[in-house]
Amino acid sequence: MAFSERIARLKGSLIREILAAAQRPEVMSFAGGLPAEPMLPKVDWSAMPTSVSQYGMSEGEPELRELIAADARKLGIDCDASQVLVTCGSQQALDLATKLFVDPGTQVLVESPTYLAALQSFQLFGADCLEIPQEADGPNIDSLRALLERSTPAFAYLIPTFQNPSAVRYSDAKRDAVAALLDEFGVTLIEDEPYRELVYDDQQPTSITSRLRKTSWIYTGTVSKTLLPGLRVGYLICSKELYPYLLRLKQAADLHTNRVGQWQAAQWLGTEKFQQHLVELRSFYRERRDTMQSVLEEHFGDLADWEIPQGGLFFWLKLKQPFDTRTVMQKALDVDVAFMPGEAFFIDPEKNPGYMRLNFSHVPPERLDEGVRRLAQVIRDGQSCALA
Amino acid sequence: MAFSERIARLKGSLIREILAAAQRPEVMSFAGGLPAEPMLPKVDWSAMPTSVSQYGMSEGEPELRELIAADARKLGIDCDASQVLVTCGSQQALDLATKLFVDPGTQVLVESPTYLAALQSFQLFGADCLEIPQEADGPNIDSLRALLERSTPAFAYLIPTFQNPSAVRYSDAKRDAVAALLDEFGVTLIEDEPYRELVYDDQQPTSITSRLRKTSWIYTGTVSKTLLPGLRVGYLICSKELYPYLLRLKQAADLHTNRVGQWQAAQWLGTEKFQQHLVELRSFYRERRDTMQSVLEEHFGDLADWEIPQGGLFFWLKLKQPFDTRTVMQKALDVDVAFMPGEAFFIDPEKNPGYMRLNFSHVPPERLDEGVRRLAQVIRDGQSCALA
C-alpha cells in the first residue's frame, strides 16, 4: 500500500495529543486554548426552525454572513457578505488557503514562533516556511523587507493581535509597515484573529487587512473563543478574486458547515446580549490573567522571563536556563499537569529550546497555585537533568 | 499571485451550483439528494449538556463512535469504536482519504458513472481516475480483473448499494467477487454507503468491506439521508493501520466535528425511535418512488429508458436519442425545473451524452406531474435542436 508523498510530512498535533491526555478530570491543563467552562453562555435552541435541518449552502447561512461582514466593517475591513465563507472552525480556513496556494516547495512567510496547527497544515502540503523574526511589538521590519527581497512567498500568515503563542500585539506603526510591504511586494496576507475580542486594555488597533491597498487577503475569525467552541463555526473573509476558488475548495472538502451551529452563532453576533457577554468575558479573563501573573511570579520568578499578555489566553515563558521542555511533558502529566512545550511553535524546535505556552483561562483559581507549583518543580527537575 | 498547481484542476460543483439556483421556492428540484422536508424528524435539544459546548476530540464523541461501531458490526463489519472517525459529512471522509492516498498521477478506480463530488475531490489532488464498467448488478468482473492486472490503483472507490447516480445495487455474487479481487491485488477499498438504509424491498446484502480478508479499507456513512443533513455529521470506519493517518489529517483539516450535531445524532442511532423513523422513511419514499415511476412513464416513456430503483433517492434515465443534457440545464431552470445532467458523473462527459439523474424524494406529489411534464418538454426541445 502506497500513501501520498505528503504523508511523509504528516505530523501529529501536539496540542490535540496533550488535550486528549488532559481529558482526565484530575489533570490541571495549561495546554489548550479552552474557554473557561463557567463562561460558556447558556444557549437556547427552542426557536431554531426545522428548515435548518436541511442541506445548506456552501457559502454559509446568509444571515450569519451578513452579521460577520458587518462586524468586519466595524474593524475597517472593506467587505460585504458575498466575501464571507463560513468554515468548520478557523482551522478549516487554513486548510482551504493551503490547498489554494501551496505545492511542495512553495514559500510561505510565518512569524517565529507561530501557531503550530497552521504550521502543520502548511507543511503537510509541502510548504517551505520562512521565519519572520519577531519583536515585542511585531516583526522586525528591516528583516521582513530583506526576507521579501530574497524570496517569493505565496502568502504571509500573521496573527497580529495576541499572537499565538507569544501573545505579541503588533503596534499601529508595525501594522502600517507590514501592510505597505505586502502591497509593495504583492504578497497575499492571511490574517488570523481568533483572539481579537479577548482584549484586557483599551488599545484596539485595526486589522492589517484594513490597511492594505492592493494585494490579496484572507482574514479569518471564529466564535470558538467568544461563544462556544463545540459549535465549530469559524469563517474567512477574502478579497473578491480569491472567493470563487475558496468556495469550490470548501465544496470539495465538506459541502457546507453545520447549520445548527451557524444558526446559534447568528443568535448572538451583533446583539446587545453578545456585547454584554464579551464585557463579562474580558473582565473574567483579566482577573484570571492577574491571578496567574501573581502565581507565576511566586513559582516561576527565578525560572523564566515573560511579558504580561494584554489579551488572548496565554502566557509565553522563556526559561532563564533553556532546555527542551518537550522532554518533561510526560513528567508533568504524571503529576496531573498539562502544558504546551513552546518548541513546537518553531519551524526548527531543536534550535529554540526553553519556551512554554501557559493558558490562564481554563484552570480554576482554587487549583491554580498547586498546578503552577507542580509545573515549576517539573521544570526545575528538568533543568537539573539537562545540566547534569 | 500564483496558485497551487491543483487549482488548474479545481472544478465547480455542478450539484452545488444547481442547488443554489434551485433555492427559489418556485423551482421544482429533481437535482439534489435532499430529504423530503415533511420527513425531517422533530428533534429535541433541551437535554443537551453544556459540556458539549467545549472543544471536543478529533476522533469524535465517544458515545457516538460506540453507536456507529455497533451499527457497523450488525452489517458484518468487524470493528470497534477505536476505528471510527466522525467527519463533517461523508464528503470530508473523501477529502481525508484523498489526502492520504493521492498525488498527481496516482491511479484510482471508480465506477462509471460515479458520484461527481468524489470525482471532484480525487481529481483536485491530481488522481488519474480509471473507470470500472458497470452492469445492472455491479461491475463487470472480467473487466475489473483486467483493469487490476494492468494498473496499480491506490484504492477503489465504490458505492455498491444504490449507487449514485445509477441506483445500481451490487448482487451478492458480485460483492464476493469484488472483495476477492481487491484482496488478491492488495487494493484498498473505499466503500461509500450513504443510501444503505433507504431500501424499498427485502434485500439487504452485506457490505463489501465485511467480505474482505486482508486488504485495507475505509467504510463511510452519514446521518444526512436518514436524520438531518444540517447537522453535517458523517463518519468513516477504517482498518486499524489507516486510522492514525486519517486522524491526523482530520486534526489538520478542522480539529474536530461540531459536537452539537454529534450529540443530536447520538440521541437517535441505535434507538427504537430511530428504527421506527426509518420504517416510516422507507414507506414514505417508496410511495414517492412509485408516484414518480407513474409520472415518468407518462411523460418520459418515449424519451428514455430506466430501471425502477430499489433504494436510494434517484432515477437514472438514459435518453433514447442521446444528447448532452448539460446544454438544457438553464432552459429547465427558466421554466422552474432543476435536474442533474448525468454527463457530469462520468470522467469523460463528452463521451457519455444523454443521461439524467432525477431525485424523487424532494418535489411534493401535487407538483410532480407539472414538474416532470415541463422537464420532458425541455428534453424534447433539446433533442430537436441537437438533431437539427
Side-chain angles (χ1 to χ4, degrees), chain B residues 2 4 23 33 57 67 73 113-114 155 157 200 227 295 300 340:
Chain B
S4 68
Q23 289 276 323
M57 296 174 71
L67 292 168
R73 283 193 298 269
T114 188
F155 60 78
Y157 170 72
Y200 313 127
L227 195 57
V295 174
F300 271 89
M340 272 305 301

Side-chain angles (χ1 to χ4, degrees), chain A residues 243-254:
Chain A
Y243 196 86
Y245 300 100
L246 291 163
L247 174 60
R248 287 175 176 192
L249 288 166
K250 169 75 179 167
Q251 290 169 345
D254 61 4

Side-chain angles (χ1 to χ4, degrees), chain A residues 244-269:
Chain A
Y245 300 100
L246 291 163
L247 174 60
R248 287 175 176 192
L249 288 166
K250 169 75 179 167
Q251 290 169 345
D254 61 4
L255 301 185
H256 70 85
T257 300
N258 91 86
R259 298 183 73 187
V260 176
Q262 291 190 70
W263 178 83
Q264 187 61 254
Q267 306 313 299
W268 291 79
L269 262 62

Side-chain angles (χ1 to χ4, degrees), chain B residues 62-84 191 193 196-197 204-211 217 219 235-238 240 269-270 275:
Chain B
E63 186 193 354
L64 180 61
R65 294 168 73 207
E66 291 287 353
L67 292 168
I68 290 168
D71 245 14
R73 283 193 298 269
K74 282 185 209 153
L75 301 167
I77 299 175
D78 179 27
C79 70
D80 61 42
S82 73
Q83 291 164 266
V84 176
E191 182 169 23
E193 293 236 293
R196 183 185 74 219
E197 297 290 356
Q204 278 269 44
T206 56
S207 66
I208 297 180
T209 297
S210 67
R211 298 163 200 246
W217 53 272
Y219 179 92
Y235 59 87
L236 66 83
I237 314 174
C238 65
K240 288 181 179 171
L269 262 63
Q275 285 310 317

